[in-house]
Structure formats: structure tokens, C-alpha cells
Amino acid sequence: MGSKYQRSVRGCLPPWILTLEVILFLVFFFFTSYDTSSKAQKEFLGTYQGFQDVVIIAALGLGFLNTSLRRHCWSSVAFNLFLLALGVQLTLLLDGFLSPTFSRKMSINLTSIQRATVSATSVLISAGAILGKVNLVQLVFMTVIEVTAFSTTRMVAKRFLNVDNHVNMMYIHVFAAYFGLTVSCCLPRPLPTRGKEKDQTATSPSLFAMLGTLFLWMFWPSFNSALLDIPDERKKAIFNTYYALAVSAVTAISMSALIHPKGKINMTHIHNAVLAGGVAMGIPCYLIHSPWLAMVLGFIAGLISIGGAKILLMCLQHKPDVFGICNIYDTYGVHYTFGLPGLLGGITDIVLKALQVKWTEVSMIGYQILTDLGVLSFVIVMGVAFGLLTGFLLNLNWWKPPSVTNYFNDQTFWKFPHLAAGY
């Protein structure tokens, strides 16, 4: 079980982080410059509003989304900001180095920073599956591995599978969810008795988590349309995402009441399923030409998210012999919020693209389906493979990981002015 006192990370956290930042300073100094072209200046004003929306989603939305546990709120919000700030720096450099047009120096503009911010949210999504069970040093290491793996996945998909920038990036939900779940699979499970008291929701933290849900719900259309350049496609993405979010919110609240024996609504279900429509709409949002289809997709996404949370949770609780091999413990329901709706969006995209090909060209339809299935499978395989690698390395003792007795506890990482009774 380990000691009830957490080992200090003072000897490893500051040296690792400060050394990494110094390296980043040097790389930015030698290999980057600002884009001062007239085109970049014209695009700045049109891009800045969308950039602000993406930052709000990443910093406020995803930060507060994972604050429902009664003793693990400070870490969720602050670690989220830390990982976002670090992930954007790393992703900016990786996108530049992996670009086929890179030559000595990369030009940084608002579009590239926006793209890096969207890409860095992969870490914030994955962290939701393991928060409370790892320290900040482990999260930093995971950030380095994951942004590298995701940038490489996007580069390979674009160069060899001819995937456009929007679809390439919107697979972030599937990649991040299964990366985080695989890492969680490798970590020790919380103790069934001592961890139970801390691993539960409370009224005030759940209210802050709902605040994060509301931020994500309001600004998600900007996230889905951020990388679309054609005005008509961007307009359809915004409209379709809004319709899907609206229907998934109504469906989530209704289904949560339906599956409860006394007809009561579960706040955790709302955190998970209200956003499902926006996640499912991420990839195919610009392909849908009618609002009813977006609404149907949002409805199905809400059902899948609520059903997945209910059925899979029951299986994990009542059949540990079946799932004990995987040892998956999803702290904040990443699978139901991002994984399952992301898979639905990927499958919908495959179907819509196949329907757009002329029916007389049977070989083209088969080729399109195989290519799109290959992209989806490749993203999942990369997420699982690098998640296994990361989870294996995070289990090593040199990270001074929290013992299972210190899971889901802010006191493990933060200085409190006093230890008030009842905290």
C-alpha cells in the first residue's frame, strides 16, 4: 500500500521543468521567427476571435470539467493550465519540424499557434483518465510523449494517407481518449476501501465541473470550425455542431432520468454526455448539408455516451474478473465523453464520404471506405501503442508516483493554509 506520506518531488520536478524550458528557449531562438508577411497581417484579425474561443475551451472548459471529485479540484484546474502551456510550446516546434516545407527556420503566426493549441488539448483529454493517480512530473513526461506521438500521427496521415488538416486534427478525440485509457490501464488501481471516500463527487466541485461543461458547450462550434478555411464549410460546421450539441444535451438529461430507478438526474452523466454531440460532429461537421442529420447524430451520441457510462460502469463493478486484465480506471469518464462519440464521428465521416462518391464508380467507393477505415484504425493503433509505452514508463519508481493511499487528494501536491476539519 505504501506510506501515507507522499514522497517529495522537489528534487526532480524543478530540475526537469527548468531544463526543458531552457532547451525550448534555445530551440525557439535558433529555429523560429514571426511571420511578418502582409497575408499574415490580414488573417490576424479574422483568426483572433476563433483563437480566443479555442483557448477558452482548453483553459477554462477542460480545466473545470475535471473538478467533480471532492478532494481533487486544485490539481485538476492548475495542472490543466500547466500542461496546456507546455504542450503548446512543444507542439509549435514539432509541427514546424515535421512540416515538409521546413527549411532552417519556421514562421510562427496566429494560425500555427491556434493549431498548436488545438493539438495540445489531446493531453488535456487524456489526463482526464489518470488525474489523481499521477504527479506533475509524470504528467510532464506524458505530455512530451503524447504531443510527439499525435504530431507524428498527423504528419503520417497527411503525407501518406492524404488526410486534410481538419479531419486530421479532429481525430484528436479518438487518439487522446484511447491513449489516456491505455495509460490508465497500466497504472495501479485505487484501493477499493480507502480510495472510495475520496473518489466521489460533491456538490460544490460538481458545480464547478458543470461550469466547465457550459464553457465547452458554448464554444465547441469554434473548436470544430477552427481549421476550416472555406467560409461555406466553416458555416456548416458551426451550425451542425450547435444543433448536435443542443440535441445531445436534451437527450443526456432525459436519458439520465430514465435509467435511474427513481427518475433522478445524475450530474456525472451530464458532464459526460452533454458534449457528446459536439465531439461526434468534429470530423463530419462540414459534410452535413441538413440540420436534421446533425440532430440525429447528436441524439445518437447522447444515447451512446449515457449508455456507455451506465453499462460499462456496471460491468466494471460487477464483473471484475472479465475486465480485471485491462485494469482500466477512467477517473473522469474520458471514454464516454470523448472516446465513444469520437468513434461515432469517425464512422459517420466514412459513411458520408462513401455516399458522396458516384455510385457508378464502385471501385472508388471501396477505395474511399478502405482509406478512411485505415486512417481511423491507424489513429487508434497509434494512441494505444504510445499509451502502452507511456503507461509502462510511468510505472517506473524514479518518478516518485503517488501511492494508492494518496490518490485523488490535493494535499498530496498543494500547500494548504490549514487542514480544516471536513476537507
Side-chain angles (χ1 to χ4, degrees), residues 67-83:
T67 57
S68 59
L69 298 187
R70 64 188 301 266
R71 291 200 175 192
H72 196 266
C73 300
W74 291 13
S75 301
S76 295
V77 177
F79 289 178
N80 181 86
L81 176 61
F82 186 95
L83 298 179

Side-chain angles (χ1 to χ4, degrees), residues 280-294:
M281 190 57 63
I283 303 173
C285 59
Y286 69 103
L287 296 175
I288 296 176
H289 300 279
S290 179
W292 73 267
L293 186 55

Side-chain angles (χ1 to χ4, degrees), residues 31 62 64 116 161 165 196 208 226 235 256 265 331 357 423:
F31 294 101
L62 291 173
F64 281 103
L161 298 174
N165 288 328
K196 185 176 180 181
F208 281 108
K235 181 186 72 175
S256 181
I265 301 169
T331 305
V357 179
Y423 171 78

Side-chain angles (χ1 to χ4, degrees), residues 127-407:
I130 62 172
L131 278 174
K133 298 178 287 182
V134 291
N135 60 33
L136 190 54
V137 184
Q138 292 172 293
L139 287 172
V140 169
F141 178 76
M142 188 185 84
T143 300
V144 175
I145 297 295
E146 183 167 5
V147 298
T148 303
F150 186 58
S151 296
T152 304
T153 301
R154 287 173 47 223
M155 182 271 293
V156 172
K158 183 176 181 179
R159 185 172 299 182
F160 298 102
L161 298 174
N162 198 29
V163 182
D164 64 65
N165 288 328
H166 168 80
V167 174
N168 212 355
M169 184 67 78
M170 287 300 107
Y171 274 114
I172 187 173
H173 309 299
V174 176
F175 178 92
Y178 289 101
F179 182 98
L181 289 170
T182 310
V183 174
S184 179
C185 177
C186 300
L187 298 175
R189 287 181 64 90
L191 295 176
T193 54
R194 299 196 62 176
K196 185 176 180 181
E197 185 268 339
K198 291 178 287 187
D199 183 22
Q200 59 180 314
T201 59
T203 303
S204 295
S206 288
L207 185 61
F208 281 108
M210 192 61 199
L211 178 66
T213 302
L214 292 175
F215 273 116
L216 291 170
W217 196 91
M218 288 187 297
F219 291 101
W220 207 269
S222 297
F223 188 88
N224 282 355
S225 62
L227 302 181
L228 292 170
D229 298 321
I230 301 174
D232 183 61
E233 291 184 349
R234 179 174 292 183
K235 181 186 72 175
K236 285 189 289 187
I238 292 173
F239 287 172
N240 289 328
T241 302
Y242 183 78
Y243 293 135
L245 282 168
V247 174
S248 67
V250 173
T251 304
I253 295 173
S254 303
M255 288 300 299
S256 181
L258 178 64
I259 63 177
H260 193 276
K262 297 182 178 180
K264 295 186 176 181
I265 301 169
N266 188 328
M267 182 61 83
T268 303
H269 291 166
I270 307 309
H271 297 160
N272 292 336
V274 162
L275 305 171
V279 175
M281 190 57 63
I283 303 173
C285 59
Y286 69 103
L287 296 175
I288 296 176
H289 300 279
S290 179
W292 73 267
L293 186 55
M295 296 169 73
V296 169
L297 188 60
F299 178 76
I300 297 173
L303 291 178
I304 289 176
S305 185
I306 291 288
K310 180 68 175 178
I311 296 171
L312 292 181
L313 186 60
M314 289 177 59
C315 292
L316 288 170
Q317 288 177 342
H318 299 294
K319 297 182 180 179
D321 53 321
V322 176
F323 292 90
I325 299 175
C326 297
N327 201 31
I328 296 176
Y329 191 90
D330 186 0
T331 305
Y332 285 107
V334 167
H335 195 198
Y336 324 128
T337 309
F338 298 99
L340 295 178
L343 284 176
L344 174 64
I347 294 170
T348 303
D349 179 71
I350 294 171
V351 173
L352 291 176
K353 286 182 178 176
L355 292 175
Q356 285 184 348
V357 179
K358 293 181 179 179
W359 287 104
T360 55
E361 303 175 1
V362 179
S363 60
M364 282 298 296
I365 296 174
Y367 175 79
Q368 184 71 58
I369 293 175
L370 286 176
T371 302
D372 293 335
L373 281 174
V375 174
L376 179 59
S377 302
F378 175 66
V379 170
I380 295 174
V381 168
M382 289 290 284
V384 171
F386 279 93
L388 282 173
L389 173 64
T390 305
F392 171 77
L393 294 175
L394 290 185
N395 257 327
L396 299 178
N397 201 40
W398 67 50
W399 305 109
K400 298 183 179 180
S403 63
V404 290
T405 56
N406 287 317
Y407 278 4

